[in-house]
Amino acid sequence: MELKELNIGSLVIKYPIIQGGMGVGISRGKLAGAVSANGGLGIISTAQIGYDEPGFEKDQNKANLDAIRRHILMAKEISGGKPVGVNIMVALKNYKDHVKAAIEAGADVIISGAGLPIHLPEYTSGSACKIAPIVSSAKAAKVILQNWLKKAGRAADFIVVEGPKAGGHLGFKKEQACSITDEEYDAEIKKIVETVKEFEDKSSTKIPVIIAGGIFTHNDICHAMSLGASGVQIASRFVATDECDADIKYKQAYINATDKDVIIIDSPVGMPGRAIRNKFTDYIKNNRIKPEKCFNCLEKCNPAEVPYCITKALTDAVCGDTENGLVFAGANVGRINKIVPVHELMEELAGAR
C-alpha cells in the first residue's frame, strides 16, 4: 500500500508518520530533525529536556526553557526548515512555560498528554502552532474535544490515540494494559474515529486521527489506516537509530531486550508505565528510593511520598546507566534487533524497502 501524505491544516507531511516524543532526553533536536528531514514529523519531548544544560542543578525551569529553544532550532536546521513538533506533558510543573517557549522557538505542532490539556488552546491562542491532545478512549476524546469547542471555540488540529501497547506512561490501568486484545482496541479506535467525525461536522474542520502504540511495520500502518486513521505515531523503533539522542548503551538495552523483559511499573506521574526490566525495576517493586533532591518536574509530586524520583531514574538511563535507571519502551521492543539510520527506518516504514 502506498502511503498518502499527512495534512495537518496547512502543514503537509510527506509520510503519515509521526515520531513519538520520548523524554527525558531520548527525542531531542537531532532525532526530530532527522525524522522531519526524511519525510515524517519529528517530535521533541520537553520533559526535563535540559538535563545536561549548564545550570540545570540550580534552575531546572530556565535550563529546560533554554533547551527547548535550542533543540527546536537544531531540529529545524537539520530538517531544512520542515515542520517540527514538541510533546509537552500536562503533568509538568511548568507546562505553560514550555508551551510558550516552544511557540516562540517556532514549533509547528504541540502534542499534549499525561493529563487532559484543557488549557492548551488558551496558551497557544494567536499562534499558528497546531495542537493535538493524546487520548486512549472515545470517552476521553469526547471530553477534550467538547471542552475545546465550548470554551475555546475551536477544534483540535489532529488527535493522537495512544493504545495499550505504547511505551512510557499509559492512559490505562495496569490490568487494562495487559488484558485488552487487539480486536477490542481496534473496536475502540473505530469508536474514536466516529466520535472525532461528530466534532469535524460540528466545527467544519478536518481532524486527522493518528494511531500510536504497537505500530512496528508498514503493514501495521496500513492496518491503522483501514480503521479510519490518517496516520500513525511510532516511538520505540526510533530509539534504535543512529540519530537518536540517547546514549549508545540505552539503544543497546533495546537491542538486548526480549519480550519477557517488558514489564509495567508504577510511575510517580500517577500512571502505569511500560519499561524494560532491570535492577532498578526489580528493586522498586518492594523498596522506596528516597529522592535526594527535587528537580521540580511534576505539578503533583511530593518528594516525601513518591516511590522514587522519576527525573533521576530517567536521566541515569539516558546517560547510559541502563541497569540502575528507568528505560521506558513499547510492547514490541523485543522485535528490535539492530541500530539503523533514520533514513533507512523511514523507507522501511513507508514501504519503500
Side-chain angles (χ1 to χ4, degrees):
M1 175 182 173
E2 184 177 350
L3 299 183
K4 297 180 180 179
E5 64 187 19
L6 173 62
N7 294 287
I8 302 173
S10 58
L11 300 180
V12 179
I13 314 300
K14 181 180 179 181
Y15 299 124
I17 299 170
I18 298 175
Q19 162 252 313
M22 297 170 282
V24 171
I26 308 301
S27 61
R28 298 199 291 181
K30 187 178 176 183
L31 175 59
V35 173
S36 290
N38 284 281
L41 177 59
I43 302 293
I44 295 165
S45 169
T46 72
Q48 299 295 57
I49 187 175
Y51 75 92
D52 57 353
E53 290 282 320
F56 179 77
E57 289 290 326
K58 292 184 178 179
D59 190 342
Q60 290 82 35
N61 192 39
K62 182 180 184 304
N64 285 328
L65 297 180
D66 289 345
I68 288 171
R69 299 182 185 100
R70 185 166 68 82
H71 282 281
I72 289 174
L73 293 175
M74 180 194 302
K76 284 283 191 177
E77 183 177 354
I78 292 171
S79 72
K82 292 180 179 178
V84 170
V86 293
N87 179 296
I88 307 177
M89 294 169 56
V90 178
L92 295 178
K93 182 170 288 187
N94 299 109
Y95 176 70
K96 183 178 180 179
D97 290 346
H98 284 215
V99 171
K100 295 296 185 182
I103 292 170
E104 290 170 7
D108 299 284
V109 167
I110 293 176
I111 297 172
S112 198
L116 292 177
I118 300 297
H119 299 292
L120 188 56
E122 172 192 342
Y123 296 161
T124 56
S125 178
S127 77
C129 192
K130 310 301 181 187
I131 58 175
I134 297 175
V135 302
S136 56
S137 67
K139 181 180 179 181
K142 183 175 182 178
V143 167
I144 192 67
L145 292 174
Q146 199 164 20
N147 180 278
W148 285 12
L149 194 58
K150 181 179 179 180
K151 294 187 176 180
R154 63 158 298 170
D157 292 296
F158 62 106
I159 186 167
V160 177
V161 180
E162 202 161 80
K165 290 186 177 181
H169 295 116
L170 304 171
F172 300 85
K173 293 180 179 179
K174 189 182 292 187
E175 305 76 33
Q176 287 179 309
C178 296
S179 62
I180 297 176
T181 66
D182 291 345
E183 292 75 19
E184 287 172 336
Y185 203 68
D186 281 357
E188 186 65 28
I189 289 172
K190 289 179 180 178
K191 288 181 184 177
I192 294 171
V193 170
E194 290 173 5
T195 298
V196 171
K197 181 66 171 63
E198 293 176 17
F199 284 90
E200 286 183 327
D201 295 340
K202 290 178 182 178
S203 62
S204 299
T205 304
K206 176 64 178 174
I207 309 173
V209 175
I210 308 300
I211 305 302
I215 308 293
F216 197 88
T217 66
H218 176 74
N219 286 340
D220 292 336
I221 297 174
C222 295
H223 177 69
M225 300 298 200
S226 75
L227 299 174
S230 296
V232 298
Q233 178 178 284
I234 300 172
S236 293
R237 291 212 64 186
F238 284 101
V239 171
T241 60
D242 295 329
E243 294 90 342
C244 176
D245 296 272
D247 188 274
I248 184 62
K249 292 178 183 176
Y250 192 99
K251 302 177 190 182
Q252 198 60 48
Y254 270 51
I255 303 300
N256 295 339
T258 67
D259 292 342
K260 293 180 180 179
D261 295 320
V262 182
I263 61 171
I264 295 181
I265 55 95
D266 294 315
S267 166
V269 171
M271 298 176 169
R274 182 172 278 110
I276 296 174
R277 181 183 176 185
N278 58 11
K279 288 180 181 178
F280 175 82
T281 60
D282 284 347
Y283 186 81
I284 61 170
K285 279 183 182 178
N286 303 305
N287 301 278
R288 177 174 182 257
I289 302 176
K290 183 180 179 181
E292 296 178 358
K293 69 170 293 183
C294 177
F295 290 95
N296 298 301
C297 57
L298 302 176
E299 178 64 33
K300 297 178 180 179
C301 176
N302 183 347
E305 297 178 355
V306 293
Y308 58 90
C309 173
I310 193 163
T311 287
K312 186 177 188 308
L314 292 172
T315 301
D316 286 347
V318 74
C319 291
D321 189 354
T322 55
E323 276 301 316
N324 298 297
L326 180 57
V327 182
F328 277 146
N332 287 320
V333 67
R335 298 169 65 183
I336 298 174
N337 53 31
K338 63 179 179 178
I339 297 172
V340 299
V342 164
H343 174 72
E344 182 177 319
L345 176 56
M346 285 297 298
E347 284 197 336
E348 177 193 327
L349 294 171
R353 295 178 71 90

